Amino acid sequence: MSATNSLGRAAHCLQLVAALDRYLSRLDELDSSQPGQIEHHLTDLTDSVRRVRVVCAAFPSLQSLLFELLIGHSELVSKVAQRPKRSDGRNARSALVAAQRRRAAALLPEIHAPRSPAGSRRRAIPKLHSSDQKPQLSPSLRASSAIREAT
């Protein structure tokens, strides 16, 4: 792989991490929002999932995970919009948001993915570094770390 292709791949990885970071932030905002703010947060969340979809186009190996995220997003938006003021709405919303967090985390590049229970790593994006173990960092720190390692 040439240096240009490697840097292009690294740039796409960073864009994916940034898009997922934004999506996860929007999920957090939705989870902690009051009933009157839900519509605004759902709009922001939908905008951020569109960005994730666009960035994932560069990674054909992530398409099935992306479809899971998009289907989960549709379910989340539909169910949260239907019950914003119901008493069970907050618990149901938290459960849906937690499921979406797991789906979004599955899209993170392999270099940042936690080990599965069986101890194997999901191989979605080629490694950018030679280290087999990587400490878990916040998405922003992961992005800056990946930039340093890619250059």
Side-chain angles (χ1 to χ4, degrees), residues 4-5 10 14 18 26-27 34 37 42 53 70 72 74 78 83 92 101-102 104 115 120 135 137 139-140 146:
T4 304
N5 287 343
L14 292 175
R26 299 297 182 249
L27 281 171
Q34 299 301 315
Q37 303 169 325
L42 288 176
R53 183 179 54 83
L70 294 173
S74 296
S78 174
R83 60 171 100 186
R101 281 190 189 111
R102 286 189 298 274
R115 290 196 174 270
S120 64
L137 305 171
S140 300

PDB file of all heavy atoms in Angstrom, residues 4-5 10 14 18 26-27 34 37 42 53 70 72 74 78 83 92 101-102 104 115 120 135 137 139-140 146:
ATOM      1  N   THR A   4       0.364   7.364   0.148  1.00  0.00           N
ATOM      2  CA  THR A   4      -0.826   8.172  -0.123  1.00  0.00           C
ATOM      3  C   THR A   4      -2.094   7.392   0.228  1.00  0.00           C
ATOM      4  O   THR A   4      -3.000   7.937   0.864  1.00  0.00           O
ATOM      5  CB  THR A   4      -0.864   8.603  -1.603  1.00  0.00           C
ATOM      6  OG1 THR A   4       0.337   9.289  -1.900  1.00  0.00           O
ATOM      7  CG2 THR A   4      -2.054   9.479  -1.887  1.00  0.00           C
ATOM      8  N   ASN A   5      -2.142   6.115  -0.169  1.00  0.00           N
ATOM      9  CA  ASN A   5      -3.308   5.297   0.165  1.00  0.00           C
ATOM     10  C   ASN A   5      -3.431   5.101   1.665  1.00  0.00           C
ATOM     11  O   ASN A   5      -4.529   5.120   2.212  1.00  0.00           O
ATOM     12  CB  ASN A   5      -3.219   3.937  -0.527  1.00  0.00           C
ATOM     13  CG  ASN A   5      -3.473   4.039  -2.006  1.00  0.00           C
ATOM     14  OD1 ASN A   5      -4.017   5.021  -2.493  1.00  0.00           O
ATOM     15  ND2 ASN A   5      -3.058   3.017  -2.729  1.00  0.00           N
ATOM     16  N   ALA A  10      -6.194   6.432   6.616  1.00  0.00           N
ATOM     17  CA  ALA A  10      -6.160   6.994   7.965  1.00  0.00           C
ATOM     18  C   ALA A  10      -7.126   8.166   8.091  1.00  0.00           C
ATOM     19  O   ALA A  10      -7.821   8.304   9.102  1.00  0.00           O
ATOM     20  CB  ALA A  10      -4.744   7.428   8.324  1.00  0.00           C
ATOM     21  N   LEU A  14     -10.296   8.491  10.655  1.00  0.00           N
ATOM     22  CA  LEU A  14     -10.505   9.637  11.557  1.00  0.00           C
ATOM     23  C   LEU A  14     -11.879  10.254  11.352  1.00  0.00           C
ATOM     24  O   LEU A  14     -12.546  10.658  12.313  1.00  0.00           O
ATOM     25  CB  LEU A  14      -9.413  10.680  11.356  1.00  0.00           C
ATOM     26  CG  LEU A  14      -8.016  10.247  11.795  1.00  0.00           C
ATOM     27  CD1 LEU A  14      -6.990  11.313  11.432  1.00  0.00           C
ATOM     28  CD2 LEU A  14      -7.994   9.958  13.275  1.00  0.00           C
ATOM     29  N   ALA A  18     -14.726  10.544  14.177  1.00  0.00           N
ATOM     30  CA  ALA A  18     -15.355  11.837  14.486  1.00  0.00           C
ATOM     31  C   ALA A  18     -16.875  11.770  14.307  1.00  0.00           C
ATOM     32  O   ALA A  18     -17.631  12.289  15.144  1.00  0.00           O
ATOM     33  CB  ALA A  18     -14.764  12.933  13.609  1.00  0.00           C
ATOM     34  N   ARG A  26     -24.707  12.846  20.593  1.00  0.00           N
ATOM     35  CA  ARG A  26     -26.135  13.142  20.385  1.00  0.00           C
ATOM     36  C   ARG A  26     -27.014  12.117  21.106  1.00  0.00           C
ATOM     37  O   ARG A  26     -28.075  12.457  21.621  1.00  0.00           O
ATOM     38  CB  ARG A  26     -26.476  13.177  18.892  1.00  0.00           C
ATOM     39  CG  ARG A  26     -25.750  14.229  18.089  1.00  0.00           C
ATOM     40  CD  ARG A  26     -26.102  15.627  18.568  1.00  0.00           C
ATOM     41  NE  ARG A  26     -25.454  16.638  17.774  1.00  0.00           N
ATOM     42  CZ  ARG A  26     -24.482  17.426  18.201  1.00  0.00           C
ATOM     43  NH1 ARG A  26     -24.049  17.331  19.438  1.00  0.00           N
ATOM     44  NH2 ARG A  26     -23.948  18.340  17.421  1.00  0.00           N
ATOM     45  N   LEU A  27     -26.579  10.859  21.132  1.00  0.00           N
ATOM     46  CA  LEU A  27     -27.320   9.849  21.886  1.00  0.00           C
ATOM     47  C   LEU A  27     -27.351  10.200  23.374  1.00  0.00           C
ATOM     48  O   LEU A  27     -28.396  10.076  24.027  1.00  0.00           O
ATOM     49  CB  LEU A  27     -26.690   8.464  21.697  1.00  0.00           C
ATOM     50  CG  LEU A  27     -27.005   7.726  20.411  1.00  0.00           C
ATOM     51  CD1 LEU A  27     -26.132   6.487  20.294  1.00  0.00           C
ATOM     52  CD2 LEU A  27     -28.479   7.355  20.333  1.00  0.00           C
ATOM     53  N   GLN A  34     -35.169  16.337  28.430  1.00  0.00           N
ATOM     54  CA  GLN A  34     -36.526  16.432  28.961  1.00  0.00           C
ATOM     55  C   GLN A  34     -37.515  16.230  27.809  1.00  0.00           C
ATOM     56  O   GLN A  34     -37.177  16.431  26.646  1.00  0.00           O
ATOM     57  CB  GLN A  34     -36.744  17.800  29.599  1.00  0.00           C
ATOM     58  CG  GLN A  34     -35.813  18.090  30.757  1.00  0.00           C
ATOM     59  CD  GLN A  34     -35.963  17.071  31.867  1.00  0.00           C
ATOM     60  OE1 GLN A  34     -37.058  16.701  32.255  1.00  0.00           O
ATOM     61  NE2 GLN A  34     -34.836  16.606  32.396  1.00  0.00           N
ATOM     62  N   GLN A  37     -37.677  18.669  24.874  1.00  0.00           N
ATOM     63  CA  GLN A  37     -36.486  18.831  24.043  1.00  0.00           C
ATOM     64  C   GLN A  37     -36.259  17.662  23.088  1.00  0.00           C
ATOM     65  O   GLN A  37     -35.352  17.697  22.268  1.00  0.00           O
ATOM     66  CB  GLN A  37     -35.247  18.951  24.936  1.00  0.00           C
ATOM     67  CG  GLN A  37     -35.300  20.067  25.926  1.00  0.00           C
ATOM     68  CD  GLN A  37     -34.164  19.949  26.934  1.00  0.00           C
ATOM     69  OE1 GLN A  37     -33.769  18.853  27.314  1.00  0.00           O
ATOM     70  NE2 GLN A  37     -33.654  21.096  27.353  1.00  0.00           N
ATOM     71  N   LEU A  42     -33.801  14.572  18.480  1.00  0.00           N
ATOM     72  CA  LEU A  42     -33.988  13.566  17.433  1.00  0.00           C
ATOM     73  C   LEU A  42     -33.524  14.093  16.077  1.00  0.00           C
ATOM     74  O   LEU A  42     -32.930  13.357  15.286  1.00  0.00           O
ATOM     75  CB  LEU A  42     -35.448  13.123  17.362  1.00  0.00           C
ATOM     76  CG  LEU A  42     -35.940  12.243  18.499  1.00  0.00           C
ATOM     77  CD1 LEU A  42     -37.432  11.965  18.352  1.00  0.00           C
ATOM     78  CD2 LEU A  42     -35.161  10.943  18.582  1.00  0.00           C
ATOM     79  N   ARG A  53     -23.299   7.515   7.927  1.00  0.00           N
ATOM     80  CA  ARG A  53     -23.616   6.748   6.709  1.00  0.00           C
ATOM     81  C   ARG A  53     -22.722   7.156   5.554  1.00  0.00           C
ATOM     82  O   ARG A  53     -22.182   6.310   4.837  1.00  0.00           O
ATOM     83  CB  ARG A  53     -25.081   6.938   6.335  1.00  0.00           C
ATOM     84  CG  ARG A  53     -25.518   6.116   5.133  1.00  0.00           C
ATOM     85  CD  ARG A  53     -26.995   6.323   4.814  1.00  0.00           C
ATOM     86  NE  ARG A  53     -27.349   7.707   4.636  1.00  0.00           N
ATOM     87  CZ  ARG A  53     -27.189   8.385   3.499  1.00  0.00           C
ATOM     88  NH1 ARG A  53     -26.643   7.826   2.464  1.00  0.00           N
ATOM     89  NH2 ARG A  53     -27.565   9.651   3.420  1.00  0.00           N
ATOM     90  N   LEU A  70     -28.455   1.776  11.209  1.00  0.00           N
ATOM     91  CA  LEU A  70     -29.542   2.533  10.591  1.00  0.00           C
ATOM     92  C   LEU A  70     -30.912   1.980  10.980  1.00  0.00           C
ATOM     93  O   LEU A  70     -31.845   2.750  11.252  1.00  0.00           O
ATOM     94  CB  LEU A  70     -29.377   2.553   9.072  1.00  0.00           C
ATOM     95  CG  LEU A  70     -28.156   3.302   8.551  1.00  0.00           C
ATOM     96  CD1 LEU A  70     -28.004   3.117   7.045  1.00  0.00           C
ATOM     97  CD2 LEU A  70     -28.217   4.779   8.906  1.00  0.00           C
ATOM     98  N   GLY A  72     -31.571   0.279  13.742  1.00  0.00           N
ATOM     99  CA  GLY A  72     -31.732   0.636  15.154  1.00  0.00           C
ATOM    100  C   GLY A  72     -32.083   2.102  15.330  1.00  0.00           C
ATOM    101  O   GLY A  72     -32.903   2.462  16.185  1.00  0.00           O
ATOM    102  N   SER A  74     -33.701   3.984  13.188  1.00  0.00           N
ATOM    103  CA  SER A  74     -35.111   4.151  12.798  1.00  0.00           C
ATOM    104  C   SER A  74     -36.051   3.707  13.908  1.00  0.00           C
ATOM    105  O   SER A  74     -37.053   4.376  14.192  1.00  0.00           O
ATOM    106  CB  SER A  74     -35.406   3.349  11.529  1.00  0.00           C
ATOM    107  OG  SER A  74     -34.659   3.850  10.459  1.00  0.00           O
ATOM    108  N   SER A  78     -38.535   6.259  15.923  1.00  0.00           N
ATOM    109  CA  SER A  78     -39.963   5.953  15.884  1.00  0.00           C
ATOM    110  C   SER A  78     -40.539   5.772  17.286  1.00  0.00           C
ATOM    111  O   SER A  78     -41.566   6.365  17.625  1.00  0.00           O
ATOM    112  CB  SER A  78     -40.177   4.687  15.057  1.00  0.00           C
ATOM    113  OG  SER A  78     -41.513   4.276  15.115  1.00  0.00           O
ATOM    114  N   ARG A  83     -43.597   8.079  22.318  1.00  0.00           N
ATOM    115  CA  ARG A  83     -43.863   8.082  23.756  1.00  0.00           C
ATOM    116  C   ARG A  83     -43.028   9.074  24.550  1.00  0.00           C
ATOM    117  O   ARG A  83     -42.510   8.733  25.606  1.00  0.00           O
ATOM    118  CB  ARG A  83     -43.719   6.700  24.329  1.00  0.00           C
ATOM    119  CG  ARG A  83     -42.354   6.099  24.160  1.00  0.00           C
ATOM    120  CD  ARG A  83     -42.242   4.841  24.949  1.00  0.00           C
ATOM    121  NE  ARG A  83     -42.430   3.714  24.082  1.00  0.00           N
ATOM    122  CZ  ARG A  83     -42.512   2.482  24.475  1.00  0.00           C
ATOM    123  NH1 ARG A  83     -42.433   2.199  25.727  1.00  0.00           N
ATOM    124  NH2 ARG A  83     -42.663   1.498  23.639  1.00  0.00           N
ATOM    125  N   ALA A  92     -37.659   3.224  28.537  1.00  0.00           N
ATOM    126  CA  ALA A  92     -37.607   2.651  27.192  1.00  0.00           C
ATOM    127  C   ALA A  92     -36.588   3.399  26.336  1.00  0.00           C
ATOM    128  O   ALA A  92     -35.830   2.783  25.579  1.00  0.00           O
ATOM    129  CB  ALA A  92     -38.990   2.700  26.541  1.00  0.00           C
ATOM    130  N   ARG A 101     -25.845   2.656  21.289  1.00  0.00           N
ATOM    131  CA  ARG A 101     -24.426   2.838  21.648  1.00  0.00           C
ATOM    132  C   ARG A 101     -23.620   1.602  21.279  1.00  0.00           C
ATOM    133  O   ARG A 101     -22.515   1.706  20.761  1.00  0.00           O
ATOM    134  CB  ARG A 101     -24.282   3.119  23.146  1.00  0.00           C
ATOM    135  CG  ARG A 101     -24.601   4.518  23.535  1.00  0.00           C
ATOM    136  CD  ARG A 101     -24.203   4.763  24.995  1.00  0.00           C
ATOM    137  NE  ARG A 101     -24.698   6.034  25.427  1.00  0.00           N
ATOM    138  CZ  ARG A 101     -25.675   6.196  26.320  1.00  0.00           C
ATOM    139  NH1 ARG A 101     -26.221   5.161  26.904  1.00  0.00           N
ATOM    140  NH2 ARG A 101     -26.076   7.398  26.652  1.00  0.00           N
ATOM    141  N   ARG A 102     -24.181   0.433  21.543  1.00  0.00           N
ATOM    142  CA  ARG A 102     -23.483  -0.815  21.199  1.00  0.00           C
ATOM    143  C   ARG A 102     -23.320  -0.944  19.688  1.00  0.00           C
ATOM    144  O   ARG A 102     -22.260  -1.344  19.207  1.00  0.00           O
ATOM    145  CB  ARG A 102     -24.232  -2.025  21.757  1.00  0.00           C
ATOM    146  CG  ARG A 102     -24.088  -2.174  23.260  1.00  0.00           C
ATOM    147  CD  ARG A 102     -24.663  -3.493  23.754  1.00  0.00           C
ATOM    148  NE  ARG A 102     -26.090  -3.620  23.511  1.00  0.00           N
ATOM    149  CZ  ARG A 102     -27.040  -3.161  24.326  1.00  0.00           C
ATOM    150  NH1 ARG A 102     -26.699  -2.523  25.435  1.00  0.00           N
ATOM    151  NH2 ARG A 102     -28.306  -3.342  24.046  1.00  0.00           N
ATOM    152  N   ALA A 104     -23.210   1.509  17.488  1.00  0.00           N
ATOM    153  CA  ALA A 104     -22.239   2.515  17.033  1.00  0.00           C
ATOM    154  C   ALA A 104     -20.820   2.081  17.392  1.00  0.00           C
ATOM    155  O   ALA A 104     -19.898   2.248  16.589  1.00  0.00           O
ATOM    156  CB  ALA A 104     -22.559   3.877  17.641  1.00  0.00           C
ATOM    157  N   ARG A 115     -11.944  -5.908  23.019  1.00  0.00           N
ATOM    158  CA  ARG A 115     -11.928  -7.341  22.743  1.00  0.00           C
ATOM    159  C   ARG A 115     -13.308  -7.933  23.025  1.00  0.00           C
ATOM    160  O   ARG A 115     -13.994  -7.536  23.955  1.00  0.00           O
ATOM    161  CB  ARG A 115     -10.894  -8.038  23.609  1.00  0.00           C
ATOM    162  CG  ARG A 115      -9.500  -7.677  23.205  1.00  0.00           C
ATOM    163  CD  ARG A 115      -8.526  -8.670  23.814  1.00  0.00           C
ATOM    164  NE  ARG A 115      -7.200  -8.405  23.315  1.00  0.00           N
ATOM    165  CZ  ARG A 115      -6.693  -8.951  22.209  1.00  0.00           C
ATOM    166  NH1 ARG A 115      -7.404  -9.776  21.506  1.00  0.00           N
ATOM    167  NH2 ARG A 115      -5.476  -8.672  21.824  1.00  0.00           N
ATOM    168  N   SER A 120     -11.245 -12.493  20.759  1.00  0.00           N
ATOM    169  CA  SER A 120     -10.833 -12.157  19.393  1.00  0.00           C
ATOM    170  C   SER A 120     -11.284 -10.747  19.066  1.00  0.00           C
ATOM    171  O   SER A 120     -12.223 -10.224  19.649  1.00  0.00           O
ATOM    172  CB  SER A 120     -11.441 -13.143  18.401  1.00  0.00           C
ATOM    173  OG  SER A 120     -12.845 -13.030  18.418  1.00  0.00           O
ATOM    174  N   PRO A 135      -5.014   1.073  24.755  1.00  0.00           N
ATOM    175  CA  PRO A 135      -5.842   1.508  25.878  1.00  0.00           C
ATOM    176  C   PRO A 135      -7.113   2.179  25.373  1.00  0.00           C
ATOM    177  O   PRO A 135      -7.118   2.783  24.311  1.00  0.00           O
ATOM    178  CB  PRO A 135      -4.945   2.503  26.618  1.00  0.00           C
ATOM    179  CG  PRO A 135      -3.937   2.930  25.633  1.00  0.00           C
ATOM    180  CD  PRO A 135      -3.774   1.803  24.654  1.00  0.00           C
ATOM    181  N   LEU A 137      -9.563   4.975  25.075  1.00  0.00           N
ATOM    182  CA  LEU A 137      -9.542   6.421  25.242  1.00  0.00           C
ATOM    183  C   LEU A 137     -10.878   7.004  24.836  1.00  0.00           C
ATOM    184  O   LEU A 137     -11.682   6.340  24.182  1.00  0.00           O
ATOM    185  CB  LEU A 137      -8.442   7.029  24.356  1.00  0.00           C
ATOM    186  CG  LEU A 137      -7.031   6.480  24.538  1.00  0.00           C
ATOM    187  CD1 LEU A 137      -6.117   7.016  23.459  1.00  0.00           C
ATOM    188  CD2 LEU A 137      -6.500   6.846  25.898  1.00  0.00           C
ATOM    189  N   PRO A 139     -13.312   9.190  22.438  1.00  0.00           N
ATOM    190  CA  PRO A 139     -13.257   9.290  20.980  1.00  0.00           C
ATOM    191  C   PRO A 139     -12.358  10.422  20.486  1.00  0.00           C
ATOM    192  O   PRO A 139     -11.637  10.253  19.502  1.00  0.00           O
ATOM    193  CB  PRO A 139     -14.717   9.526  20.591  1.00  0.00           C
ATOM    194  CG  PRO A 139     -15.489   8.851  21.671  1.00  0.00           C
ATOM    195  CD  PRO A 139     -14.682   9.099  22.921  1.00  0.00           C
ATOM    196  N   SER A 140     -12.339  11.553  21.165  1.00  0.00           N
ATOM    197  CA  SER A 140     -11.491  12.668  20.733  1.00  0.00           C
ATOM    198  C   SER A 140     -10.017  12.317  20.867  1.00  0.00           C
ATOM    199  O   SER A 140      -9.215  12.602  19.980  1.00  0.00           O
ATOM    200  CB  SER A 140     -11.787  13.919  21.550  1.00  0.00           C
ATOM    201  OG  SER A 140     -13.121  14.296  21.396  1.00  0.00           O
ATOM    202  N   ALA A 146      -4.763   8.400  16.573  1.00  0.00           N
ATOM    203  CA  ALA A 146      -4.718   7.784  15.257  1.00  0.00           C
ATOM    204  C   ALA A 146      -4.012   8.673  14.245  1.00  0.00           C
ATOM    205  O   ALA A 146      -3.309   8.195  13.365  1.00  0.00           O
ATOM    206  CB  ALA A 146      -6.129   7.447  14.773  1.00  0.00           C
TER     207      ALA A 146
END
